[in-house]
Amino acid sequence: MGLSEKTIEIVKATAKPVADNGEAITTRMYEILFANHPETKELFKDASSDQHKKLATAVAAYAANIDNLSVLDKAIEKMAQTHVNTAVKPEHYPMVGVSLLQAVKDVLGDAATDDVIEAWKEAYFFLGDVLIAREKELYATA
Ligand code: HEM
């Protein structure tokens, strides 16, 4: 199932504030994730200190291209391969998703209305499902 028109509209309209605050949002996201799910810290043990920039860039690029995801094919393939190399599993996606949405709320404040959060939630899990499906294939052939 694709994303609704409303979600696409809201995510595109909020792509800039999210990208402009990308580092603050992802830094806050890791803070929430590691506090609530300390076991996920282990996955990031070899991560470079600029990992949060990569995630911020990915989220921003995704938002900008939400109605034309094929331009992100190569980036998605790289993410999936990195995730498989670091043992990311489907059950981690809701942990990161909830943390990311809370971080968007914390950083954007009043600009993060319920409609905005709902749209980003739909968009995050849509991309998450694409990644989970590709990672499942990669795990099966590993
Ligand atoms: C839609 C959701 C997600 C997006 C957009 C995303 C994005 C990314 C990107 C862009 C990279 C860098 C890839 C590279 O340059 O090689 C990455 C790496 C990584 N991601 Fe994700 N990710 C998502 C979900 C998750 C989840 C659920 C986890 C599990 C906690 C996770 C854990 C990691 C880890 C451990 C790395 C490697 C860090 C390192 O060693 O440098 N990601 N992700």
Side-chain angles (χ1 to χ4, degrees):
M1 205 189 74
L3 290 164
S4 70
E5 282 299 316
K6 188 181 170 198
T7 290
I8 292 176
E9 204 177 293
I10 294 175
V11 170
K12 290 191 104 176
T14 50
K16 183 148 167 50
V18 169
D20 287 350
N21 293 283
E23 287 198 49
I25 290 170
T26 45
T27 301
R28 179 78 186 117
M29 191 274 286
Y30 286 120
E31 228 171 71
I32 298 168
L33 179 68
F34 295 156
N36 293 339
H37 306 284
E39 72 276 17
T40 59
K41 260 191 213 170
E42 177 65 14
L43 301 172
F44 291 93
K45 66 180 187 324
D46 298 323
S48 57
S49 55
D50 69 345
Q51 163 60 22
H52 61 286
K53 287 186 201 156
K54 287 187 189 169
L55 201 137
T57 310
V59 172
Y62 173 53
N65 292 291
I66 194 155
D67 48 6
N68 186 20
L69 281 181
S70 63
V71 303
L72 295 180
D73 277 356
K74 274 178 80 176
I76 287 172
E77 184 62 20
K78 180 139 196 277
M79 285 179 227
Q81 278 174 7
T82 302
H83 285 162
V84 168
N85 289 335
T86 48
V88 172
K89 294 286 161 59
E91 60 266 29
H92 296 130
Y93 280 83
M95 300 175 190
V96 169
V98 168
S99 306
L100 179 65
L101 294 168
Q102 185 59 49
V104 169
K105 276 193 203 174
D106 290 351
V107 173
L108 294 191
D110 290 348
T113 62
D114 289 351
D115 272 7
V116 167
I117 293 300
E118 193 50 42
W120 277 86
K121 182 178 176 185
E122 208 189 308
Y124 169 86
F125 284 103
F126 184 82
L127 178 60
D129 286 347
V130 171
L131 288 169
I132 289 168
R134 182 61 187 137
E135 287 156 20
K136 194 177 168 196
E137 287 177 359
L138 294 172
Y139 278 122
T141 56

